[in-house]
Amino acid sequence: VLQMNAGADPARNLDWIERRCRALPEGVGLLALPEVFAVRGPPQALRAAAEWLPGPMTRRLMALAASRRIWILAGSLVERGRGGRLYNTSLLLDRRGRLAARYRKLHLFEARLDDGRRIRERDTYTPGSRPVLVEIEGWRCGLAICYDLRFPALFAGYARQGADLLFAPSDFTRATGRAHWETLVRARAIETQAFVV
């Protein structure tokens, strides 16, 4: 799991990821990146960084996965879709750098923070339409992103399909993260009897 605090410059964020990946010890089979690993900032920065898949950021990660012979869970990037739609999308790349799965965040976050700011992902993103279960070398893996953690039915569905591992790359706000993050992760793990990354 590679923790990072991405900025508004996608090239710089990917440079940092590549340097860290080159320093991984031998034997690492999977690298998991956080939500919005490629660009983090106001909606205009997200829109500017949006790409059709596979775009420049995706291709860089594909090359990295292939060169290191590792799976990469690209926590989320901004996917450009038809009709001007944008999706908060998680990608799973295999050891050859091929796209093994794509998951578009189903549940979009909305909250009013203590300082009065309002966050509405729906103002930027379109929600996805389906859960995604994929196999990684014998492990059945359910894909989710951040706020999806608050919806146990998604994870229960993965459990019914035999999921061993659940991914929930996240960019939780400080306040809700401090109050709820660990509790939600533990709850989904206990309910499903699966590992949560």
Side-chain angles (χ1 to χ4, degrees):
V1 175
L2 182 58
Q3 303 285 24
M4 64 182 293
N5 191 10
D9 182 347
R12 191 174 189 179
N13 296 327
L14 285 165
D15 289 345
W16 188 87
I17 290 167
E18 288 171 343
R19 284 194 307 274
R20 293 299 300 258
C21 195
R22 283 193 296 271
L24 291 173
E26 289 300 318
V28 171
L30 183 140
L31 175 67
L33 301 173
E35 181 182 23
V36 296
F37 71 88
V39 62
R40 191 166 177 263
Q44 55 270 31
L46 299 175
R47 287 186 189 96
E51 67 180 37
W52 296 96
L53 297 181
M57 290 181 283
T58 306
R59 283 194 290 276
R60 278 184 74 175
L61 288 175
M62 292 169 129
L64 184 62
S67 69
R68 291 291 307 198
R69 304 291 294 160
I70 60 173
W71 290 79
I72 295 179
L73 177 79
S76 83
L77 52 72
V78 185
E79 176 192 359
R80 191 173 300 282
R82 288 190 213 144
R85 291 184 183 95
L86 300 179
Y87 299 94
N88 189 352
T89 301
S90 188
L91 304 175
L92 180 65
L93 308 174
D94 70 13
R95 290 181 188 270
R96 294 183 182 175
R98 297 176 303 195
L99 182 61
R102 169 179 33 192
Y103 169 79
R104 292 171 171 166
K105 187 175 184 179
L106 290 172
H107 304 96
L108 301 180
F109 182 63
E110 184 171 341
R112 184 174 302 280
L113 304 180
D114 290 341
D115 64 7
R117 287 183 299 145
R118 187 172 179 162
I119 298 174
R120 280 178 35 110
E121 286 187 322
R122 194 171 296 277
D123 291 345
T124 304
Y125 298 115
T126 298
S129 59
R130 63 181 180 81
V132 174
L133 188 76
V134 63
E135 189 169 308
I136 300 176
E137 298 177 11
W139 289 70
R140 294 177 63 75
C141 304
L143 304 184
I145 299 172
C146 199
Y147 189 59
D148 287 329
L149 273 171
R150 294 192 183 274
F151 298 86
L154 172 62
F155 296 89
Y158 287 143
R160 282 192 300 275
Q161 296 176 68
D164 305 296
L165 181 66
L166 304 167
F167 287 105
S170 299
D171 181 34
F172 255 62
T173 64
R174 181 183 305 253
T176 58
R178 188 180 301 126
H180 306 137
W181 172 249
E182 186 177 351
T183 301
L184 288 168
V185 171
R186 285 177 179 265
R188 298 302 82 89
I190 291 165
E191 292 162 351
T192 60
Q193 290 296 287
F195 295 100
V196 178
V197 175

